[in-house]
Amino acid sequence: MKEWLASYKYRGNERLLPLFSGMLVHAYHQLVKELSAAGHEGSGFHCISYVPMNVSRLEERGFNQAEAMAVELGRRLSLPVVPLLERTRHTAKQSFKSRGERLNDLQGAFKLLGEAAGSIARLEEGTTGQGWPVRVLLLDDVYTTGSTLNQCAQTVTQSLPVEVYGLMWAR
């Protein structure tokens, strides 16, 4: 799996995207089952979002792998993909850092996009009377310590009335 991800992420092997998204569809359905089993009403999701990249890394790679996975997953599940976050600054690659270094490095690294509140408000209109909040599925390619996901989820939930759940392709 490590080699597949490196081929996709660093060498632009986009032929792997359908394979990855198929695996994500399976993981999505497992997550929905777990939420339902835990007694969460309306255990589906209203939208998918993704962890943003900083501009320099985006220019280096030519695409955001998490965004591409989110778009393909959204297409397969008929869920809208809603950009919610942007990176406020460049952070060094997280894979070379300790857990403590990751936590410190990611503080303040994300901010809510200006249009995020309006996007969520439109989704909220569709949930009126359901009795459960807008649920956002936040997608990233790899889960290591959870630092990136936690920082992104915290940034979103501090400003928006949503529940955020994470989905990653690999751990």
Side-chain angles (χ1 to χ4, degrees):
M1 285 179 73
K2 196 176 198 178
E3 287 144 10
W4 289 352
L5 185 61
S7 178
Y8 174 66
K9 193 171 176 173
Y10 303 115
R11 293 186 290 283
N13 187 352
E14 294 181 40
R15 292 179 301 161
L16 291 169
L17 184 58
L19 171 68
F20 294 165
S21 63
M23 296 166 91
L24 286 166
V25 167
H26 176 74
Y28 171 85
H29 289 299
Q30 289 299 116
L31 177 58
V32 169
K33 278 184 193 175
E34 289 173 18
L35 288 172
S36 182
H40 291 269
E41 285 188 57
S43 54
F45 290 86
H46 296 92
C47 69
I48 301 171
S49 195
Y50 52 87
V51 174
M53 292 179 101
N54 68 34
V55 175
S56 64
R57 191 151 301 131
L58 185 58
E59 288 173 353
E60 175 186 310
R61 290 192 190 150
F63 73 111
N64 177 342
Q65 70 281 353
E67 180 181 5
M69 289 177 177
V71 167
E72 182 63 16
L73 182 62
R75 185 189 67 74
R76 287 181 176 222
L77 298 173
S78 298
L79 286 172
V81 176
V82 179
L84 295 175
L85 296 164
E86 66 179 310
R87 284 218 185 227
T88 58
R89 60 184 168 78
H90 176 74
T91 56
K93 293 183 180 183
Q94 300 299 303
S95 57
F96 301 119
K97 297 179 184 171
S98 70
R99 179 174 174 73
E101 289 170 329
R102 289 172 193 232
L103 292 171
N104 288 333
D105 193 39
L106 290 170
Q107 288 294 319
F110 302 98
K111 78 172 190 176
L112 212 58
L113 288 170
E115 64 269 17
S119 297
I120 294 301
R122 285 187 291 282
L123 290 170
E124 278 181 308
E125 291 170 7
T127 66
T128 304
Q130 289 182 349
W132 47 288
V134 170
R135 289 202 179 113
V136 175
L137 185 66
L138 184 62
L139 198 129
D140 201 3
D141 57 352
V142 178
Y143 178 99
T144 306
T145 64
S147 302
T148 302
L149 175 66
N150 286 337
Q151 190 63 45
C152 288
Q154 184 179 41
T155 301
V156 171
T157 58
Q158 282 176 345
S159 301
L160 299 173
V162 299
E163 291 180 357
V164 176
Y165 293 82
L167 186 68
M168 283 63 173
W169 177 75
R171 179 167 184 171

